[in-house]
Amino acid sequence: MTKTELKREELKAVLKFVIDTFGIDELERDNQYFTFDTAYKGSQLSGQIDTRGFDVSIEQNHALTGTGWSNDDYSTAAHANQLENLMNDKIATFLNNRG
């Protein structure tokens, strides 16, 4: 297999793993990213997976500074942080175990 074919197979395996492990219904290609929406601990979250390093980022994972944020805002940001870390850790473990 060529390097490109190997990378393509690895991408397929990672995407299948993410869909199966996290119950994501649909991944949509957006240039070098796959985007998705999912529910986690009652929060609706949007994320993306980079096709180069398989890094996951969740849109709602950001620091809420200042005042005026609701408890729901804080919960959503916390859930986004938890899911992003969990997904990145599980993908890294999956890739390490593939050899």
Side-chain angles (χ1 to χ4, degrees):
M1 270 191 182
T2 67
K3 204 173 185 181
T4 301
E5 290 170 331
L6 289 171
K7 186 66 175 174
R8 198 172 290 139
E9 288 300 313
E10 183 179 49
L11 175 61
K12 280 185 196 177
V14 168
L15 294 178
K16 181 179 180 341
F17 173 77
V18 167
I19 289 168
D20 294 345
T21 304
F22 296 100
I24 294 172
D25 294 329
E26 187 177 319
L27 291 167
E28 189 173 311
R29 183 79 187 230
D30 184 15
N31 295 319
Q32 78 183 46
Y33 301 98
F34 277 89
T35 60
F36 61 90
D37 294 315
T38 191
Y40 183 73
K41 294 186 176 182
S43 296
Q44 284 301 118
L45 305 172
S46 303
Q48 62 183 21
I49 302 170
D50 189 328
T51 60
R52 292 181 290 186
F54 306 116
D55 297 316
V56 174
S57 61
I58 305 294
E59 182 179 328
Q60 292 82 2
N61 184 14
H62 46 80
L64 302 178
T65 58
T67 60
W69 300 103
S70 70
N71 287 339
D72 284 344
D73 293 333
Y74 285 113
S75 292
T76 298
H79 295 156
N81 181 268
Q82 293 166 10
L83 181 61
E84 183 175 306
N85 290 332
L86 179 65
M87 290 182 81
N88 282 315
D89 289 346
K90 287 201 177 257
I91 290 170
T93 300
F94 173 76
L95 290 170
N96 288 335
N97 291 336
R98 283 190 82 220

